[in-house]
Amino acid sequence: MLRQMLANLQEVVLGTKLAVLFPAIPLAVVADFYNFGRPWIFALSLLGLAPLAERVSFLTEQIAYFTGPTVGGLLNATCGNATELIIALFALHQNKIHVVKYSLLGSILSNLLLVLGTSLLCGGLANIRKEQRYDRKQADVNSLLLLLGLLCHLLPLMLKYAGGIGNSTALYTLQLSRASSIIMLIAYITYIFFQLKTHRELFDSQEEEEEEEETAVIGFWSAFAWLVGMTIIIAVLSEYVVGTIEAASDSWGISVSFISIILLPIVGNAAEHAGSIIFAFKNKLDISLGVALGSATQISMFVVPLSVIVAWIMGIRMDLDFSLLETGCLAFSIIVTAFTLQDGTSHYMKGVVLFLCYLVIGACFFVDSIPLNETTGNLGVKKSSGALTA
């Protein structure tokens, strides 16, 4: 038993190159216990989340070996973005609707522009004398779902501007957002059924390439126990992140929007980012697209509407109005990604364009700022005019 425990410890904790970041987890707990500077707690918690997010994905894959493709696919669909979901739930509990919307928006932008862009760039450079090809059908399905999600974000925003500022318009926007969230969840459930049952052949080639005769390295109950334990640790660190984000923003002189939209997703998607680039280097673009587009679709069509529904249950007025600037960035990102993937071929120039788009959006949110004392209000509040002069 001791030998098995040590073997599991080696596979789960030391089986990733991000293991060097695991010491940040106890350091974050110690920093909180001894009341160190809140920016230090935020930074250590953020670093600790990176290996945990990667290990959760690893453990769900291990469980999938024992449960079969259908249950394994459902498990990956629900746990694939567990870090973002847990952070959103803690932010909702503290009524920090800004942090919820910003972090989820940032995850979508990061997957579409940063993860996919750098994957196409690195894959194109590594295979510069080859024409990289991928199956358009899978990309088309994800693009359609992202466009549906974009419509559900645009309609509350347009309704707000069409109806003017007022309590009645805010109520209608909220009701429309809740109805749209239910429709988005129905669409995502249909997508899961489409992917796992009726049209599995569209995704089979990707799964066959990725598996390559791999087998489970730890047992089912060991993987389940590790998954529960790491989820609890993610919950603790997420609470630290949400509770100290304003203090870190004030101390570092960086806006809450930039931290939530840029820094949080980069750390949370670090493992997916690395995996996607590795597959692109190996000229396996179908897997890279599955990682980037699949994660973006999951956030847009599952985590975002689920957050609205959970907020509704908690009595919190969260809607799908992500404000004009944020929704505009989301719309542009989805459209440019759809255009990039329309011909079924890739080269490094496509990756360059996507990556530069992400840099421009990051620069926009770096100079954009909101008053820190308004971070718990509605995302549609007026932006601070002192961002550039600060």
Side-chain angles (χ1 to χ4, degrees):
M1 184 180 297
L2 180 61
R3 187 182 297 112
Q4 185 178 3
M5 288 177 60
L6 292 176
N8 289 343
L9 183 68
Q10 182 177 2
E11 289 290 344
V12 176
V13 178
L14 303 178
T16 173
K17 294 180 180 179
L18 295 176
V20 294
L21 298 179
F22 272 119
I25 299 173
L27 289 176
V29 177
V30 170
D32 179 68
F33 183 79
Y34 287 103
N35 295 319
F36 286 2
R38 296 176 71 78
W40 281 103
I41 300 174
F42 176 83
L44 291 170
S45 301
L46 203 59
L47 290 175
L49 285 173
L52 289 172
E54 192 274 339
R55 291 290 85 184
V56 166
S57 298
F58 165 77
L59 291 169
T60 54
E61 291 173 3
Q62 294 301 305
I63 294 175
Y65 286 119
F66 299 95
T67 59
T70 302
V71 177
L74 290 173
L75 189 62
N76 282 322
T78 52
C79 297
N81 289 286
T83 303
E84 290 87 346
L85 181 58
I86 293 173
I87 289 177
L89 293 178
F90 273 103
L92 279 177
H93 180 69
Q94 299 184 25
N95 200 28
K96 296 182 179 180
I97 301 176
H98 263 94
V99 176
V100 179
K101 293 183 176 181
Y102 280 147
S103 62
L104 297 181
L105 171 68
S107 292
I108 300 173
L109 298 181
S110 173
N111 280 291
L112 292 181
L113 300 180
L114 179 63
V115 177
L116 183 58
T118 51
S119 297
L120 297 182
L121 172 59
C122 295
L125 292 176
N127 302 274
I128 197 166
R129 301 191 182 280
K130 302 177 183 177
E131 184 182 43
Q132 289 192 292
R133 305 190 67 86
Y134 53 86
D135 188 0
R136 283 181 50 194
K137 301 184 185 70
Q138 182 189 160
D140 288 344
V141 172
N142 284 282
S143 297
L144 285 173
L145 285 171
L146 289 169
L147 288 170
L148 173 60
L150 175 61
L151 176 65
C152 294
H153 286 289
L154 282 172
L155 290 178
L157 178 66
M158 292 188 291
L159 179 63
K160 183 183 73 175
Y161 281 99
I165 305 299
N167 292 332
S168 59
T169 303
L171 178 61
Y172 296 148
T173 300
L174 182 64
Q175 292 174 342
L176 175 61
S177 298
R178 290 170 174 172
S180 299
S181 296
I182 295 174
I183 293 173
M184 292 166 76
L185 287 175
I186 293 173
Y188 185 74
I189 293 172
T190 306
Y191 166 68
I192 295 297
F193 185 76
F194 175 87
Q195 179 181 2
L196 299 179
K197 284 292 183 183
T198 62
H199 287 71
R200 284 201 62 187
E201 66 275 6
L202 298 181
F203 305 89
D204 276 346
S205 59
Q206 172 192 333
E207 292 174 359
E208 289 169 4
E209 279 187 86
E210 192 170 2
E211 286 175 4
E212 295 181 350
E213 304 298 328
E214 291 182 358
T215 57
V217 295
I218 61 175
F220 173 81
W221 290 109
S222 297
F224 182 79
W226 277 103
L227 181 62
V228 172
M230 289 198 169
T231 304
I232 294 173
I233 299 174
I234 288 175
V236 173
L237 295 185
S238 299
E239 186 175 11
Y240 290 164
V241 166
V242 173
T244 58
I245 188 169
E246 290 94 345
S249 171
D250 191 27
S251 176
W252 298 343
I254 303 175
S255 66
V256 173
S257 60
F258 181 80
I259 293 176
S260 302
I261 293 176
I262 304 299
L263 295 186
L264 280 180
I266 287 178
V267 174
N269 295 330
E272 291 178 342
H273 196 171
S276 180
I277 291 177
I278 290 171
F279 285 122
F281 266 118
K282 297 177 180 178
N283 201 17
K284 297 180 178 180
L285 280 188
D286 283 326
I287 302 178
S288 294
L289 291 178
V291 171
L293 289 180
S295 183
T297 302
Q298 187 177 82
I299 292 290
S300 177
M301 300 301 294
F302 176 67
V303 181
V304 171
L306 183 64
S307 299
V308 174
I309 299 300
V310 171
W312 186 8
I313 296 172
M314 297 169 63
I316 298 173
R317 298 167 66 91
M318 176 180 173
D319 56 29
L320 291 175
D321 175 14
F322 277 33
S323 192
L324 184 60
L325 175 63
E326 290 77 7
T327 307
C329 291
L330 176 63
F332 176 80
S333 300
I334 293 174
I335 292 171
V336 74
T337 302
F339 271 102
T340 301
L341 302 176
Q342 64 180 344
D343 63 349
T345 63
S346 176
H347 44 75
Y348 72 88
M349 192 61 204
K350 290 185 175 182
V352 169
V353 172
L354 291 178
F355 181 69
L356 292 180
C357 289
Y358 188 75
L359 290 183
V360 172
I361 291 176
C364 174
F365 286 108
F366 183 78
V367 300
D368 181 63
S369 181
I370 58 173
L372 292 181
N373 60 356
E374 295 183 14
T375 54
T376 57
N378 188 289
L379 197 59
V381 297
K382 184 179 180 181
K383 305 288 182 179
S384 170
S385 61
L388 287 172
T389 58

